[in-house]
Amino acid sequence: MTDPAEHTEAMGGAAITEHLRRKHTVVLGGRYELTERIASGGMASVWRAHDDVLARTVAVKLLHDHLAADEDFRERFRREAIAAAKLTHPHVVSLYDTGADGDRVYLVMEFVEGATLREVMANLGTLEPGQAASIGERIARALDYAHDRGLVHRDVKPANILIGDDGSVKVADFGIAKAEEHDGDLTRTGMVLGTAAYVAPEQITGSHPVDGRADQYALGCMLYEALAGRQPFKGDTAVATAAQRLESNATPLRALRPDVPRGLESIVGRAMARHPEDRFVSTAALADALAAFADRDPAHTAALPLATAHRVARRQSEVGAPPEDQGPPEQESFARSEGRWLLGVLALIIVAGALVGAALVTGALDSDRLPRVGGAEEEDPGDQGDTAEAEPITIAALASFDPAGGDGENDESLPALLDEDRSSTWRTDIYNSAEFGGLKDGVGFSVDLGESRDVSRVELDVETPGVNLELHVADQISQDLEEWDRVATADDAPAGVAIDLEESVTTRHLLIWITPPLPNSGGYKAEFSEIRVMGLPTGRDN
């Protein structure tokens, strides 16, 4: 009988796969039985294996055969074992063993049941801001732990982040990590290590020593991609991608994803600063900043690998082929994800246009289904005055009103207030306190009716119960709140509210002004799905 170790000495990854398909057993070091290949990178392949001694599932990383013959790569691989052995942290993949079996060099690591962040992003498109911040915080904590011990990862990327089915987040593959105090021959070759999409500018130019701030930059790029659904820089080649960050800044995150909190956008942008000195002083500081936006429910993180597995299984059943036969999985997944996103947006635009058109033509808007709030005094329920004969007034335009902020609040989402779709909303930014983070006295949006009309009622579909509202009117738009006349208030407004005026008001412009305290609904914010303005028919005398 042939010793399995003799097979192993001469076999590359493909040969081992074929060997396993023929039901032969491949065992490394006399104890690690390989069962299936689960990943392959530029330096090594990773296998699921069974540790026959400790009776547990492990991950075995095998250096590619053509690299194992190269002493430089063997040395780098050996350094991974030394670097990883120093790291015992809940968010770092544990190293159990290392060895050689004939000419093959391997590491034995903790096996994490779940998915890589690359698989999650490729199949789900984007993450919720709270999920991304939670994952980013834990990665930053792990990196800071390594940096404190003189280790820089140098290849932080989604494929090296593992999301467990139990909600755990772990950084893997310190394969090109470098002990900062030991430069050695490997670092004098001028070789740029890392992945083009996430490599820091100083790793390209050599203008600064590569330290923990390079890992911080890569983490910022990952968070950008997780939130925006695309990488911050993407060229035709790896070199072009890496070079872009030397010449330009990425598109502002909120221009691609308006629901990302402004504060989180700022954190990601600072982590991605081109100059290391403009980034956070440490990844611990970055982690602390992300913590303010993190979703603390581990079930939400645990759901990510499950959702990914379901989509992968569905895609495989659709094409009728195993993963190996589908071509490059990252490119295909990204294309399919982008296609789904574009088709979804197009469908929403078509449906929204049809609904708005139908509402404007027919006036078929239900004006009696919301709780009513009066003006300065409560209205007699038996006396609705002019509202009984009111008709919908066409809204010509909407604009955010943010005199203290100056740059508006989610203007791109304002059309959602007119599409008769409760699932599409406009909301304020998400603040870190009920008092708008101490930044402003209020915020809101203005309504332009196109001409002066007699307004008797304003209906709002409120999605954040408990919000405080004021209704103001003016003949001309002004960014000075003092130039508007307050005509009604709605304190602690319920989910859906109608503001009936004591007397109809002739005006062209309305202002929905939101005042503190903000309700806490997944963050301090106010959110609405629809607005309708009712008034007397044109030409009717009061």
Side-chain angles (χ1 to χ4, degrees):
M1 180 175 178
T2 305
D3 186 341
E6 294 179 7
H7 286 280
T8 308
E9 291 177 13
M11 277 190 277
I16 292 178
T17 301
E18 180 60 28
H19 194 67
L20 293 176
R21 283 177 178 169
R22 294 178 180 178
K23 307 302 182 183
H24 296 300
T25 300
V26 176
V27 180
L28 297 176
R31 65 183 288 186
Y32 303 113
E33 181 181 342
L34 306 185
T35 57
E36 65 172 321
R37 187 171 65 178
I38 55 179
S40 183
M43 286 179 57
S45 58
V46 182
W47 296 75
R48 181 197 294 259
H50 182 74
D51 182 348
D52 292 336
V53 174
L54 296 179
R56 64 181 176 182
T57 300
V58 295
V60 173
K61 177 181 286 189
L62 279 168
L63 187 65
H64 292 323
D65 285 352
H66 68 284
L67 299 178
D70 186 309
E71 288 302 320
D72 281 349
F73 277 94
R74 287 177 69 101
E75 175 62 11
R76 189 172 298 122
F77 203 68
R78 185 188 68 83
R79 286 191 181 187
E80 175 175 355
I82 296 173
K86 295 180 180 180
L87 305 178
T88 304
H89 189 274
H91 302 314
V92 175
V93 172
S94 297
L95 173 68
Y96 296 148
D97 192 12
T98 183
D101 192 326
D103 291 333
R104 302 200 65 81
V105 181
Y106 63 88
L107 300 176
V108 182
M109 303 169 293
E110 171 187 9
F111 182 82
V112 178
E113 192 72 58
T116 68
L117 182 58
R118 164 55 60 211
E119 292 168 331
V120 169
M121 293 195 303
N123 288 283
L124 301 185
T126 60
L127 302 185
E128 292 301 313
Q131 290 174 325
S134 175
I135 292 171
E137 179 195 357
R138 285 178 275 182
I139 296 170
R141 302 281 183 210
L143 293 173
D144 187 67
Y145 173 85
H147 298 163
D148 282 348
R149 285 150 183 79
L151 296 170
V152 181
H153 192 292
R154 299 167 75 91
D155 195 24
V156 176
K157 59 185 179 182
N160 285 337
I161 307 302
L162 305 182
I163 312 295
D165 289 341
D166 59 355
S168 61
V169 176
K170 293 178 181 284
V171 181
D173 195 4
F174 278 79
I176 51 179
K178 177 179 75 74
E180 289 179 306
E181 67 274 15
H182 300 300
D183 280 341
D185 291 338
L186 287 179
T187 62
R188 289 201 291 265
T189 64
M191 182 183 294
V192 175
L193 301 176
T195 302
Y198 313 98
V199 66
E202 62 268 25
Q203 287 178 272
I204 302 171
T205 64
S207 57
H208 293 79
V210 176
D211 55 24
R213 292 172 296 183
D215 287 347
Q216 183 185 144
Y217 181 93
L219 177 52
C221 291
M222 280 201 314
L223 291 173
Y224 183 104
E225 183 178 358
L227 291 166
R230 76 180 204 189
Q231 294 171 353
F233 303 98
K234 189 70 173 177
D236 294 333
T237 65
V239 173
T241 297
Q244 278 184 6
R245 70 204 60 217
L246 303 179
E247 304 165 354
S248 60
N249 295 321
T251 301
L253 185 53
R254 280 167 47 82
L256 303 173
R257 180 86 182 270
D259 67 320
V260 173
R262 241 179 251 280
L264 183 56
E265 177 190 47
S266 177
I267 291 169
V268 173
R270 183 175 175 184
M272 290 173 55
R274 276 187 274 176
H275 301 291
E277 58 270 20
D278 293 333
R279 299 170 202 155
F280 287 90
V281 66
S282 67
T283 44
L286 171 58
D288 291 341
L290 289 170
F293 297 91
D295 181 343
R296 296 297 179 188
D297 188 343
H300 293 165
T301 305
L304 296 175
L306 181 62
T308 296
H310 285 172
R311 291 199 181 198
V312 170
R314 184 167 65 249
R315 185 171 71 244
Q316 290 173 11
S317 67
E318 288 171 356
V319 300
E324 298 83 22
D325 300 327
Q326 293 183 37
E330 290 188 17
Q331 285 187 332
E332 181 177 351
S333 297
F334 180 79
R336 292 175 68 92
S337 174
E338 288 295 295
R340 286 193 297 269
W341 180 82
L342 289 171
L343 287 173
V345 171
L346 181 59
L348 284 174
I349 292 173
I350 294 172
V351 172
L355 288 172
V356 171
L360 293 178
V361 170
T362 65
L365 299 172
D366 180 4
S367 62
D368 296 320
R369 60 188 178 87
L370 301 175
R372 295 169 181 153
V373 178
E377 299 178 2
E378 288 299 323
E379 179 183 6
D380 181 354
D383 181 13
Q384 297 183 17
D386 293 326
T387 62
E389 301 180 25
E391 66 177 16
I393 299 176
T394 300
I395 295 175
L398 299 171
S400 63
F401 185 83
D402 185 20
D407 57 352
E409 294 218 359
N410 300 320
D411 292 62
E412 305 88 347
S413 301
L414 283 168
L417 296 175
L418 302 176
D419 64 4
E420 280 287 292
D421 180 0
R422 287 291 297 273
S423 67
S424 63
T425 63
W426 173 87
R427 63 160 178 78
T428 66
D429 287 338
I430 298 176
Y431 294 89
N432 60 15
S433 77
E435 273 62 42
F436 296 95
L439 301 174
K440 56 187 72 174
D441 296 325
V443 75
F445 62 91
S446 62
V447 180
D448 184 358
L449 302 179
E451 61 179 343
S452 291
R453 293 293 302 270
D454 291 322
V455 176
S456 58
R457 176 184 174 97
V458 175
E459 299 176 352
L460 279 170
D461 287 345
V462 176
E463 303 297 329
T464 47
V467 66
N468 296 319
L469 304 171
E470 295 179 358
L471 177 63
H472 296 246
V473 298
D475 292 329
Q476 294 183 342
I477 287 283
S478 171
Q479 288 299 307
D480 184 356
L481 186 62
E482 297 297 324
E483 298 294 323
W484 294 77
D485 295 325
R486 187 177 66 182
V487 295
T489 61
D491 293 332
D492 197 20
V497 62
I499 304 175
D500 284 327
L501 305 182
E502 292 180 353
E503 296 181 357
S504 62
V505 176
T506 302
T507 187
R508 172 174 174 172
H509 300 284
L510 305 170
L511 170 63
I512 305 298
W513 180 242
I514 304 156
T515 60
L518 288 170
N520 188 356
S521 176
Y524 294 100
K525 63 184 179 181
E527 188 167 12
F528 311 94
S529 57
E530 203 72 24
I531 183 171
R532 293 171 290 275
V533 179
M534 312 295 290
L536 301 180
T538 303
R540 167 172 173 164
D541 293 328
N542 288 335

